[in-house]
Amino acid sequence: MDPHLLRTFVAVIEHGSFSAAAQGLGYTQSAVSQHIAALEADLGTRLVERRPVGPTAAGERLVEHARPLLLRLDAARADIARLRQVRPARLAVACAPITLTPALTMALARVREATPGLTLAVEVHGRDEAVRAVLTGAADVALVDGVAAPSDPLPLPDAGPMSTLAVAEAPLAILLPADHPLARRPSLRLGDLADAHWVDAPDTAVPLGQLRSAVRSDGFTPHMTYDGTDVRGLGALVASGHGLAALPLPAATGLTGTAAVRIRAPRLVHRTEVVHPRTPTAAVRALVSELNG
């Protein structure tokens, strides 16, 4: 399969329109139509319904393959570029919302002080997007977080030729409204809350799918969805009774109108990891050393 055709196919599916995909890719609409027809001919099946525009069953399956394939191609290009490029002193950090902590900002300040002329950039992304930023060369290092059993690796998207290092761990807590009947409990069992209302905030709180896996339950049904990355915004939704959320205890503590209660079972920890290329820059090595010190 030609990756150019795959990229056009994914753009059509994501935009839900041939014309919008053409505009986004800088092609003519005729060229986009030709790309889709060529890909369908190559695979011997219809991939895109035309009216309305959307994936067929085969197209849905191909999207599942195409996105990681295209990401790995972009990652390969960026990885080779790193070997031949001499970059100015820069440190571009992509971090998941909860990882933007005082510890990180202080580490960045020390690295900047020790590296004259360093250009520093920090962007907050969802977890998967932060990893993609490093893979594609948009960032030099990412800080991502997640939940795992104490001895298990952190579940991360396919990171390709990357290195990871755990730099922080914290207990996991349930964020509840301050007047919730369970708010004064010293600890809670996660499985007992499977049927509660939950806020689905995959880029800020623990994704609900991870909670289902942790207790092997079909529960944890989202009562509402929050697509933001502001922890205080999530706290406001919980305080207003829209649902519960799972967060690391330090991030969950002190949010207005809420209470943070530790999870005692199952045994889970919230972990922060650094993700960077196998050949990191001097600035990345300095940051990792500061965070791991």
Side-chain angles (χ1 to χ4, degrees), residues 169-192:
E169 280 191 359
L172 194 62
I174 300 298
L175 189 67
L176 312 99
D179 58 357
H180 194 281
L182 302 177
R184 296 185 181 278
R185 294 281 186 91
S187 63
L188 293 168
R189 294 173 57 89
L190 182 59
D192 294 341

Side-chain angles (χ1 to χ4, degrees), residues 131-158:
V131 174
R132 281 195 291 269
V134 177
L135 281 170
T136 59
D140 302 303
V141 62
L143 275 86
V144 294
D145 65 300
V147 170
S151 59
D152 288 348
L154 192 65
L156 292 176
D158 180 10

Side-chain angles (χ1 to χ4, degrees), residues 52-125:
V53 173
T56 63
E60 289 180 352
R61 186 65 58 86
L62 182 59
V63 168
E64 296 176 5
H65 293 285
R67 287 193 176 111
L69 284 171
L70 293 172
L71 176 60
R72 289 305 296 268
L73 287 172
D74 291 340
R77 183 180 295 277
D79 206 31
I80 298 304
R82 290 187 188 100
L83 297 178
R84 58 181 174 79
Q85 290 178 352
V86 178
R87 290 184 172 181
R90 78 155 202 178
L91 181 58
V93 182
C95 58
I98 294 176
T99 68
L100 188 56
T101 61
L104 173 59
T105 57
M106 291 175 61
L108 289 171
R110 289 191 291 267
V111 172
R112 189 170 203 169
E113 183 179 356
T115 313
L118 179 68
T119 299
L120 180 63
V122 178
E123 291 191 1
V124 177
H125 296 282

